[in-house]
Amino acid sequence: MSVPADASSSPPPGLRVSVDLNLCQAYAQCCYAAPRHFRIEGHEALIYDPAPGVQDRADIERARIACPVQAIRVEDPERGP
C-alpha cells in the first residue's frame, strides 16, 4: 500500500475555465487559438476542457483573448480571476 509522503508536495491545482454558453456565438476562434482545449462538435456544440493544467495557461489565455464576445472566463487559483 502506498501513502503520500506529504500533502504539500502535490501539484498545484489547475486552471478553471468556464464558457458562458448564452454569450457564445460559435465563432470558434477559441478552437483555432487552443485546439487541444476547445472544439466544436456537430452544428454548434462547444466542447472544452474545464480544468486544464497551469502549464496550458498560454493556450487558454490565447483562446480567451480570441473570443469576440468575451464568453470565456479563466480562473487561476494561484493568481486569482
Side-chain angles (χ1 to χ4, degrees):
M1 177 156 78
S2 176
V3 177
D6 182 3
S8 66
S9 66
S10 63
L15 304 172
R16 289 186 300 253
V17 176
S18 61
V19 177
D20 184 336
L21 298 176
N22 291 316
L23 287 177
C24 179
Q25 298 295 306
Y27 291 117
Q29 295 305 303
C30 57
C31 299
Y32 297 114
R36 288 186 13 229
H37 304 285
F38 297 87
R39 70 180 185 279
I40 298 285
E41 287 190 1
H43 292 288
E44 294 182 359
L46 177 65
I47 308 297
Y48 66 99
D49 182 359
V54 292
Q55 71 276 7
D56 297 316
R57 181 182 292 118
D59 289 344
I60 300 301
E61 282 298 317
R62 191 169 39 254
R64 183 187 66 77
I65 291 166
C67 181
V69 296
Q70 300 178 356
I72 301 171
R73 179 179 170 104
V74 180
E75 294 179 39
D76 184 340
E78 292 181 359
R79 294 184 181 179

